Structure formats: structure tokens, C-alpha cells
Amino acid sequence: MVKVPRQFSAFFLSEKAVMATERYNPRASEPKWQKAWADAKLFQTRNDDPRQKYYVLEMFPYPSGRIHMGHVRNYTMGDVVARFRRAKGDNVLHPMGWDAFGLPAENAARDNRVNPREWTYANITAMKGQLKTMGLSLDWDREIATCDPSYYKHQQKMFLDFWRAGLVERKSAKVNWDPVDMTVLANEQVIDGRGWRSGAVVEQRDLTQWFFKITSMAEELLDGLDTLDRWPDKVKLMQANWIGRSEGLLIRWPLAEGTAPAGETELEVYTTRPDTIFGASFMAIAADHPLARKAAEKNPALQKFIEEVRQTGTSVAALETAEKKGFDTGIRVVHPFDPSWFLPVYVANFVLMDYGTGAIFGCPSGDQRDLDFANKYGLPVIPVVMPEDADAENFRITEEAYVDDGVMIHSRFLDGMKPKQAFEEVATRLSGISIGNRPMAERKVQFRLRDWLISRQRYWGCPIPVIHCENCGAVPVPDADLPVRLPGDVTFDKPGNPLDHHPTWKHVSCPQCGKAAVRDTDTMDTFVDSSWYFARFTDPWNEEAPTTLSVVDGKGGWLPVNQYIGGIEHAILHLLYSRFFVRAMKRTGHLNAVEEPFEGLFTQGMVVHETYKGPQGWVTPAEVKVEDIDGERRATLIATGETIAIGPIEKMSKSRKNVVDPDDIIASYGADTARWFMLSDSPPERDVIWTAAGVEGAFRFVQRVWRLVSETAPALQSVAPAFATDGDAAVLSKAVHKTLKAVGEDIERLSFNKAVARIYELTNFLSAPLGAIESAAADCLPALREGVEILVTMMAPMMPHLAEECWSAIGGKGLVAERPWPAFNPQLVVDDEVVLPVQINGKKRGDLTIRRDADQLAVEQAALALDFVQKALGGKPPRKVIVVPQRIVNVVG
RNA sequence: GCGGGUGUGGCGGAACUGGUAGACGCGCUGGACUCAAAAUCCAGUUCUGGUGACAGAGUGUCGGUUCGAUUCCGACCACCCGCACCA
């Protein structure tokens, strides 16, 4: 970018300055500045501050006990944004809390006989201490823990409000039940059909559970995605696919008389391809379909088949390998367009009860799965769509279904139409026919999204505030009795839910009729806790309500979060649930106006590291010495000198032992080095490879900045900062202001790696080595002072402690953390002269230096006058000369 | 299977809307300082040929559009991620 003019640094390396230099010591410096910020209460945010609001939030951590490098990366990025916005003059909200309910606390309780609450709070204390060493600009006054009754009280209130608003439902659902641990398992906790802790074979059980009716908002959750301009497209797409909207037709097929169980007259089927209705050759229904159950009552063989299907797990692996099987029920349906056309009804193992109507019609020619099924059971295959250029007479489907667009054949009145037209035609015709007192078909929009099951048979979660009474059914706990507190005196010596076998806790009287009743002993899914914490941060002091409407959102309110930062692993569930929650909270009066919780979303990449494997298994990076011998990297075990294999680069994990402890890094290099390294090199959305060499490099830079500042400090202390517009000093000022502009833009775009590169460049520029002309330097002092000040201010969001130390060294007043972001001078970021590359036939052959405002003709003439252009043209006139102002010249010969 | 992304030196990565490919960092090579080492500083570092100025090639592969393509279009290859019997 800029050639280094040696003269500016002429006086830097005066011998005295070199002698005076001491290495920067983060261990002494960092706690000092952390205390200074805390004493000045710089990061405490007031809700009544009239300045522009900016809410930056990182996904809050689970209090596992120790922070890991992923946290360091996440919170560093958020902190850069927070400190930058603060310097830009905004009133910044940057809070921190704890996602504190969850299974690990219970596991610890079972394994180590500790109390989950004590375990959790001890972890919070430890992690908070670690986070504090990072120098994050957090408002700790707003700290919340979701396991605190002052938090979950409001969650219980909202559960009841949602219930009253019709957003909560209690219904039966199939769940994975671990018969040993006596709890429901999430799908991810079932491994090869067995419970992940107990190893017991997991059963499918029907349990009555609580659900949030997220499907009732499917349409708006989908539509809302379009308004999220500052979300990654990838995440929006994943959510859209998850919600899975499809438009189709609900068709009611009449059951053939004499074949159906008593009282059954029709079969409802959902399809997105009604155009293929003349290619239908069978119907397939789920094993749990009511018609299947009825048919099985008088058919033991069918009964047996249904049981078999039920026992095949729903795990991904089971589905992949499971053979497509069916069982003919003997029931027949009549084709809607042909009373003489009968189709068999099968129970099939591949039909899902909870999508559509749990029944399909099979069109073998247009669907591979249906084709396989038809071939297996000898059912007809009628091609109904063929490629435009095919011949209808000879078009056959045998082993491979035709799924692409085309033209309709063998479909009576649909022949010759495109499938799209045919869809419309079938929809229109069938809507006009009635069956019973309803139309034979209705247009229907179907979603893949399911309701959100929130009941968990576990202790360490938010109790569901419901009392079950024999007389009154499920009764809400009265608001005045909230919170329903978790009892502290629980034991984990028996399997199952401790709340369930607590001697007294669940026994209460019914709030309605006063009779003896029992509490719901289930607790809420921990995703509920994290679906509204961002709203609670806006006023965690409010004891009366979850939110304070005057500050939470709307005019002058905090929400939506302006910038949310976290891992891609939450792309669907957490973010979708939060989007559901703001809508539900708005409907129940806990929010005013906000449409979406997170205006800007950034998904950061993981921290990855090499793995090392010795004869005894995986070993940690700390135990290994890696050397570069003749370009070949070799690892040895420090303790024994054994050779260690260097394995693939993977996400830091305990199982691979490729973890680096942030504590160790901060202790030996300081938080600034860790922060700087996290921001360097890798773009923030991609994975960053943690390497010892990289950290060393970052640490060297810390020392280099410190040397630059401390060596120049004596000369700068009494100088007033000023930029220069001409002379040698202008070169300096231009470099500084160009960098200032670029770094601001880069941070705003969250391109931290680019901002880092610019700061490196400027630091190199300012600390260029001893040149020749000492006298020139004195004139440059004001510009240099300004340059150093700007450098320090620019790096402050990333390396806040070092910035303070530097600021103090040059005699700056106050704290850098309080300084505004300087404005660049527009005059200084453009040059009077530009260097244009000159191409001949598209290949660069030289440069042309010319005034910036030179017009096209002048540029062309100057270019043609250049020696190497003349030579290349060999006296002939050019065929064409392309001049792109301030960009390039291309001479075509 | 469906959907999406990525591919640039030894490595991480830059290159704004088509305009100097390789900024910046790591590593490496040579040098200075030192009795020596560390630290620091300087120079070099895409590849090939040449002492050299220089010439040629080059952004996964093949082709196209253009004065000019890492960038746009088409086909393909590799890897990664998400969803997955969704009717």
C-alpha cells in the first residue's frame, strides 16, 4: 500500500530510546486497566441515556466450569463491536449471563453427589473470573442466570400467559423413553437405538406432554425471514427448509363399499402432485393411522405387521437401511374420476403419521420410492409425465421413475397439459365434487415444522407451573404463587425424576376446588430459557414482570438486538424458538412492537487445532513439542521424547485432547494477545486454526507496538497532535487517515481480519527503521503524535489493555476506552497523483504516474508517450486505447 | 436423494460493483547485532528459465463472453455443511 519513507523514523532509534525500552508486561498491565474501567463504571449502561442505542450480544454460555477458546473467540468479536460502537458515540448494551439449567448439572449430581445448584453456581463463579481476565467491556450489573427463581418466575408467568392465549397445548406424543434412567431422551441422545447414558434399549412411548404451538406461527416465521437483511443467507435458508412449506391438495378418496371397516367412508390424503392422479396405483397409510388400527382389529396378521413397524426405530440409521414394506389391508378406494377404478390400501412402514394426513397415494412412475414399492408388490406402473420430446406410445417406466417437468400422458382430460396446469385442473374439478357434505378436494398449505415439545422429565430446569386435579384437570398455578421453586433437598440415588419422588413437593391442593392434587413434575426444555434472555437483559431488575415495556422495545427501547453473535450450531432451534417467543410475548403483552429478536446475526467459525496421537492415545498440545526439520513438521512427546503422529485439524474437544486452555494463554501472553490472535488471519465466519506460532506472532506484535510507542513517547509527550497536508509529514498523515478510514469500515463489516492487517501495515509504516535525515523528523512530530494517537485508538477495541498502556505512555488524558473514534480527514485519503497500471493487450507492462484529475485524453496521450508503449507498438498506431479513470490503461495494438 | 457453501503461494488468507493476483500474518532463506544464543532489525520469498535487466506460466478442471476474468456464463471434479422415507 504505502512505501515506507525512512526519514520519519529517523529519531526513533536514538540510542537512549532503545536503552529505555522495556518489554510490555501484560500480567502487570491488564489487571490495572481492568480495575480502572471498573472503577470508572465505564461499561454500566443506563436505560435512560438519551444517545442512540446499540445492543450487541453474544450467545450466553452454559456454565460448564471453564471457558474454552470458542468462548474467547465469540466474546472477543462481540467486545470489539461493543467498544467500537461506544467509541462511535452510541449507548451500548453489552450484557452477560448464564444458560444455567441443563443435564450436566444433574449428571454431576449423580456422579459426584453434589447439589446441582451448588455445582452450577460454583461454575459460574469460576467462569466469571476467567471472563474478567479477558478485559471484556460487559455490564455485569445486568448479569442473569436462568436457574435463578428471579428469572424463571417470569418464564413460568409467560408459560401461563401463552397458555391462556392458546399458544400452549397438552397432547399425547411419541417420545424416546429410556426405561433405566426413566426419562425422555432427545433424538440426539439415542445412539444406535440405546440411551446415551444408560445404554438401555430405548422404547417409543406415548406420553401426554406440553407443547408450544409454534406451528400456528409457521407462516409468519417463514415470511419474517425475508425481513432479516443482516442474517446470513445460509441460516435463513436452513430455517426456511426446517419450516418446510409446501402447497398441495387434500383429496378425500371414497372407500369402496364392503371393503372398509364399519363407519369408515373415506381416506384423506395430502399430495403436492395431484396432477399425477391418473398414475396412482395404490394408497399407503401409516401404521398408526386410525384406519390401520381399525382394520387390524379383525386381522391378526395386519396387527402383527403394525407391531413390527412400530418396533423399527425412528433413528436415522434405522430409516436408511429399512426395507420398504407394505401390507395389503384388503380395503379399496375408488378413483375420484372413475367409479369403476379401485385401488388397494396398504399399511406401509415408510409413511409418517405426523406429516400430512398420514396417508399417501402412490404414483410409481413419478416417484422412485413408490416405484420400488409397486415393483415389489406387483402393482401397475402408469407413466403420466414424460419429457416433451418423448413418444407417448413407447414411453415406459421400469426401474427409474421420471421426476422432472414434462407433458401429461395417459391422463384422460389432462393429456397434453404441463403438470402445473394439470394440478390446477384437478384441484378445480375435485373441489366441485362433493363427498359427504364436503368437497372431494381442498387446497392446503402443509408445513414440515412440528410443535415444540417442552416437557422434560428432569430436575434441573424450570418447573412447569401447573397443578393436576382429578376434578378440574390441568390447572394453572395462580400468579400470586409464582415462582414454583425447585426444591433444594433432592436425591439422585434413584433413577427417574427427583421431583417425582420427592416426598412432599408435588403434593398440593387444587387452586380451584381445594381438593388434594399434584404438581406437574416435568420441567421445561432449556431452549425455553434461552428464548427470551435477550429481553430480560434490558431490565433484569424488574421483579414484577418479565420485561419493562418502556425500555424493552419500540421507540427508544433496546430490542431488537442490533448485533447477535454466536455459533452456527444454533442456526435452527435456538434462533427459531427465539423468533417464536418474541411473537408470543408480543401477543401476550410482554413486548410492544418488535418484529424480530435479532436484527443482525453473525455466525462465527470454530476454533480448531491439530491433533496428536501417541502410542498411548491422544495427547494434548501442551505435552507435545513440534519442530520444523527440513520443512517437515515433527512432533515429540516432551516427557519421553517419543515420536507423536500429527493428526488432522479438528474442532477443539476433550475426546481428541486438542484443547488449549484460555487460562494458560492469558497467563503467559495476556488477554490482548489471545484477543488479537483470534481476530487475525481467519475471516470471522470461518474456522480459525489455533497454532503456537500464531500466538507467538501476535505476542510479538504486542511488543512491537509497545516498542514503537514507548520509544517515541519521550519525543511526543509535549507535542500537540495535528495532521499535515503538505511536505513530508503529509505522507505520514495520509497513511494514518487512510488506515483510519479502512479500519472503521472493516470493523463495521465485522471484517476483523482485514482491520488487523491494516493496523499491522500502519505499525510497520510508523516504526520503519533508521533512515538518513534526522532533521526532517522534527517537522513531522505533530503528525506523528496524531498518528500514534490514532493507532492506539484504533487498536483499542481489539487490544484494550495495551491501548491504555500506550495512551498513558504518551501522556494521554483519561482512558482510551472513553475516547471517541476519530474522524478521518477526507482530503487526506485521496492522493493528488495516481499510479495507473498500463497494459498492452491486457498484460501489465508498466506504470503511469499522473494527476488524479487528468482527463481521459490526457491519460491516453501520456500513456502512448511512454517508452515501453512506443516500443511495443513499433511505430504503428494503437487499434484501441481503453482508459478507466483512476484505474487502468489498456493499449490494444 | 434434496438444498447450500468452498476451492488463490509451503500455510492462514487479501483483491471494493470485471481493472496491477498474492495485501497482512505465519513459516522459510540470507544478512546485521552478539564470544554465543535468545530477542530485535534489514533484505528476499507464486512457479519455471536466466548472474542479470527480463521472459513465460499461474486463482480446482475444461470451455465461453470481454480490450481485460479470482470476479460473469456453461459443463465437470474435489471437499465441507444442513435436511432427509416430507407424500
Side-chain angles (χ1 to χ4, degrees):
Chain A
M1 147 205 171
V2 191
K3 277 232 172 116
V4 174
R6 287 158 181 262
Q7 63 268 30
F8 297 131
S9 49
F11 62 97
F12 285 5
L13 300 184
S14 67
E15 253 168 58
K16 264 187 222 156
V18 173
M19 303 283 282
T21 303
E22 269 179 42
R23 278 166 77 85
Y24 172 70
N25 180 1
R27 239 182 283 195
S29 174
E30 292 185 348
K32 180 175 72 185
W33 296 113
Q34 285 160 16
K35 184 170 184 304
W37 298 326
D39 289 348
K41 295 189 184 298
L42 283 187
F43 311 132
Q44 265 92 323
T45 305
R46 295 171 52 136
N47 285 340
D48 60 0
D49 190 317
R51 290 174 301 168
Q52 176 77 37
K53 289 178 162 44
Y54 194 92
Y55 188 177
V56 54
L57 185 66
E58 300 95 62
M59 291 179 184
F60 67 162
Y62 176 78
S64 58
R66 302 197 64 76
I67 63 169
H68 54 66
M69 281 299 175
H71 292 129
V72 173
R73 193 176 194 203
N74 193 186
Y75 302 141
T76 298
M77 288 180 193
D79 200 47
V80 172
V81 174
R83 287 177 180 267
F84 177 72
R85 295 310 323 176
R86 221 175 267 122
K88 281 284 207 175
D90 291 345
N91 182 32
V92 172
L93 177 57
H94 186 216
M96 180 56 73
W98 309 97
D99 190 11
F101 273 137
L103 204 50
E106 276 185 64
N107 293 341
R110 262 177 237 279
D111 297 343
N112 308 321
R113 308 186 135 266
V114 292
N115 179 282
R117 169 183 303 276
E118 284 162 20
W119 182 85
T120 301
Y121 276 97
N123 285 350
I124 288 176
T125 305
M127 285 176 79
K128 189 172 171 181
Q130 288 185 299
L131 287 182
K132 289 215 165 178
T133 65
M134 283 183 63
L136 303 169
S137 64
L138 291 164
D139 182 355
W140 283 105
D141 285 357
R142 293 174 187 252
E143 179 182 4
I144 53 180
T146 57
C147 65
D148 195 300
S150 69
Y151 182 83
Y152 67 68
K153 167 186 172 180
H154 303 294
Q155 191 163 306
Q156 292 174 338
K157 172 76 165 73
M158 285 194 286
F159 172 89
L160 296 175
D161 289 345
F162 290 2
W163 193 9
R164 290 184 270 260
L167 293 166
V168 173
E169 194 179 10
R170 191 166 149 79
K171 62 184 178 188
S172 176
K174 248 198 175 74
V175 295
N176 302 308
W177 179 259
D178 185 321
V180 171
D181 276 356
M182 295 187 17
T183 185
V184 163
L185 297 177
N187 282 336
E188 306 80 61
Q189 292 168 337
V190 182
I191 298 154
D192 294 330
R194 291 169 181 274
W196 68 295
R197 264 181 71 83
S198 67
V201 176
V202 170
E203 299 169 6
Q204 299 293 303
R205 276 207 187 177
D206 283 311
L207 282 187
T208 304
Q209 306 269 283
W210 291 99
F211 288 82
F212 281 146
K213 289 165 77 176
I214 190 168
T215 54
S216 69
M217 294 193 188
E219 194 86 61
E220 45 184 311
L221 286 169
L222 185 65
D223 293 346
L225 292 172
D226 291 337
T227 67
L228 299 171
D229 302 331
R230 289 181 45 235
W231 277 42
D233 288 339
K234 182 191 166 105
V235 174
K236 286 190 277 188
L237 191 72
M238 280 164 72
Q239 291 215 354
N241 289 341
W242 188 262
I243 295 169
R245 184 183 196 275
S246 71
E247 282 178 29
L249 210 57
L250 187 72
I251 303 177
R252 303 191 172 94
W253 298 63
L255 300 183
E257 266 176 61
T259 66
E264 296 291 330
T265 56
E266 59 184 51
L267 178 62
E268 281 195 347
V269 160
Y270 175 75
T271 177
T272 55
R273 295 294 304 274
D275 47 300
T276 64
I277 195 160
F278 290 103
S281 64
F282 64 95
M283 315 297 286
I285 62 178
D288 286 319
H289 195 279
L291 189 60
R293 293 187 188 204
K294 270 202 176 174
E297 282 169 17
K298 288 174 186 160
N299 188 340
L302 176 57
Q303 184 64 46
K304 197 168 162 249
F305 178 77
I306 289 175
E307 306 257 302
E308 221 172 277
V309 172
R310 278 207 193 126
Q311 269 161 25
T312 327
T314 49
S315 74
V316 177
L319 290 177
E320 245 167 41
T321 51
E323 197 190 343
K324 310 283 172 271
K325 278 193 235 168
F327 190 100
D328 187 350
T329 59
I331 302 170
R332 296 291 177 267
V333 296
V334 183
H335 197 279
F337 290 115
D338 186 345
S340 66
W341 185 352
F342 297 91
L343 297 97
V345 178
Y346 281 77
V347 172
N349 64 349
F350 59 83
V351 180
L352 306 171
M353 190 57 225
D354 48 5
Y355 184 79
T357 62
I360 62 164
F361 78 77
C363 172
S365 63
D367 182 289
Q368 192 59 46
R369 188 195 53 205
D370 292 349
L371 181 62
D372 295 344
F373 191 84
N375 285 341
K376 181 166 178 180
Y377 293 101
L379 297 160
V381 179
I382 311 158
V384 283
V385 183
M386 66 166 191
E388 300 259 7
D389 54 0
D391 163 27
E393 291 305 307
N394 300 314
F395 187 68
R396 297 276 182 277
I397 298 281
T398 52
E399 293 301 320
E400 211 168 308
Y402 181 75
V403 295
D404 296 328
D405 200 13
V407 61
M408 304 304 304
I409 51 170
H410 306 313
S411 294
R412 309 191 188 184
F413 53 86
L414 302 175
D415 283 353
M417 291 184 184
K418 306 278 288 176
K420 245 191 168 164
Q421 278 175 283
F423 181 120
E424 294 304 315
E425 184 65 25
V426 170
T428 310
R429 289 200 185 207
L430 286 182
S431 305
I433 307 172
S434 23
I435 174 167
N437 50 6
R438 293 185 294 182
M440 197 169 255
E442 289 170 38
R443 284 168 201 272
K444 194 179 173 205
V445 174
Q446 181 72 40
F447 295 94
R448 210 191 67 107
L449 184 70
R450 316 276 167 83
D451 277 332
W452 175 12
L453 194 170
I454 61 154
S455 304
R456 296 292 126 94
Q457 291 69 45
R458 289 186 188 131
Y459 165 71
W460 194 233
C462 171
I464 294 176
V466 171
I467 291 165
H468 298 280
C469 168
E470 269 182 35
N471 287 348
C472 314
V475 179
V477 171
D479 286 358
D481 295 348
L482 296 181
V484 175
R485 285 172 190 269
L486 281 175
D489 53 340
V490 284
T491 53
F492 290 88
D493 45 6
K494 276 186 277 184
N497 182 354
L499 289 179
D500 210 23
H501 33 70
H502 188 280
T504 56
W505 183 79
K506 71 177 174 186
H507 300 290
V508 288
S509 49
C510 172
Q512 267 177 30
C513 70
K515 264 189 74 176
V518 289
R519 289 191 188 281
D520 201 308
T521 56
D522 287 352
T523 54
M524 295 185 207
D525 179 6
T526 55
F527 272 115
V528 179
D529 312 340
S530 55
S531 293
W532 70 284
Y533 76 107
F534 47 87
R536 185 66 187 167
F537 276 136
T538 63
D539 187 359
W541 305 283
N542 185 343
E543 292 175 16
E544 302 306 314
T547 57
T548 303
L549 290 174
S550 57
V551 301
V552 69
D553 69 343
K555 200 174 184 304
W558 284 110
L559 292 179
V561 174
N562 299 91
Q563 185 64 61
Y564 196 37
I565 308 175
I568 186 75
E569 67 274 18
H570 292 113
I572 298 175
L573 296 184
H574 163 58
L575 292 168
L576 188 65
Y577 293 153
S578 298
R579 297 182 59 227
F580 163 75
F581 241 81
V582 295
R583 286 164 173 80
M585 286 172 75
K586 209 163 109 177
R587 213 178 278 185
T588 51
H590 296 295
L591 289 173
N592 302 300
V594 71
E595 304 284 342
E596 288 284 347
F598 312 117
E599 180 187 70
L601 172 70
F602 190 85
T603 52
Q604 109 248 10
M606 296 183 298
V607 182
V608 295
H609 196 287
E610 273 181 344
T611 48
Y612 306 105
K613 198 170 193 179
Q616 261 59 260
W618 302 104
V619 288
T620 64
E623 300 171 272
V624 173
K625 190 170 76 175
V626 180
E627 285 167 304
D628 206 308
I629 301 163
D630 299 331
E632 187 118 354
R633 300 183 66 248
R634 284 191 214 160
T636 47
L637 200 61
I638 295 168
T640 63
E642 276 177 292
T643 302
I644 295 289
I646 299 180
I649 297 169
E650 292 181 45
K651 179 183 181 177
M652 284 190 181
S653 73
K654 279 183 195 152
S655 64
R656 289 283 185 272
K657 289 202 177 174
N658 60 339
V659 286
V660 176
D661 190 340
D663 262 3
D664 295 346
I665 298 299
I666 292 173
S668 20
Y669 298 99
D672 284 338
T673 297
R675 295 169 60 122
W676 186 252
F677 177 69
M678 279 303 183
L679 299 167
S680 313
D681 294 355
S682 289
E685 69 278 8
R686 284 203 221 169
D687 291 350
V688 62
I689 305 171
W690 185 277
T691 61
V695 183
E696 294 280 351
F699 186 64
R700 269 204 299 277
F701 181 68
V702 168
Q703 296 299 346
R704 195 136 58 90
V705 170
W706 174 244
R707 248 188 339 268
L708 165 66
V709 173
S710 57
E711 286 171 11
T712 53
L716 294 181
Q717 261 176 359
S718 52
V719 177
F723 60 81
T725 49
D726 45 32
D728 288 335
V731 180
L732 175 66
S733 287
K734 279 184 174 177
V736 169
H737 282 256
K738 280 180 186 170
T739 307
L740 176 58
K741 178 172 188 281
V743 168
E745 289 167 357
D746 287 335
I747 293 179
E748 228 147 321
R749 279 189 229 122
L750 308 184
S751 300
F752 306 119
N753 57 322
K754 291 183 220 165
V756 163
R758 307 277 188 190
I759 291 176
Y760 266 113
E761 250 173 354
L762 184 65
T763 307
N764 290 346
F765 178 86
L766 292 177
S767 51
L770 185 65
I773 317 159
E774 283 219 18
S775 57
D779 302 337
C780 298
L781 279 180
L784 190 65
R785 164 95 202 188
E786 192 205 42
V788 171
E789 284 193 7
I790 288 176
L791 176 70
V792 167
T793 313
M794 281 192 301
M795 70 188 196
M798 307 173 186
M799 297 196 286
H801 312 89
L802 177 64
E804 297 290 359
E805 199 67 47
C806 291
W807 184 246
S808 150
I810 57 170
K813 294 212 169 57
L815 294 163
V816 182
E818 296 178 283
R819 291 201 78 216
W821 191 261
F824 65 85
N825 183 327
Q827 284 184 335
L828 290 169
V829 298
V830 291
D831 292 314
D832 301 337
E833 288 194 324
V834 287
V835 179
L836 296 180
V838 179
Q839 297 182 328
I840 290 164
N841 296 325
K843 276 200 180 296
K844 190 200 167 189
R845 290 298 135 126
D847 292 321
L848 170 65
T849 304
I850 196 160
R851 289 197 54 79
R852 187 186 177 77
D853 51 14
D855 60 25
Q856 293 218 2
L857 192 65
V859 174
E860 185 173 330
Q861 282 171 348
L864 290 176
L866 291 167
D867 275 355
F868 64 90
V869 176
Q870 290 283 322
K871 210 181 279 176
L873 289 172
K876 281 178 253 166
R879 277 203 295 154
K880 203 170 174 185
V881 179
I882 287 145
V883 177
V884 182
Q886 288 150 52
R887 283 278 187 201
I888 203 165
V889 181
N890 190 9
V891 180
V892 185

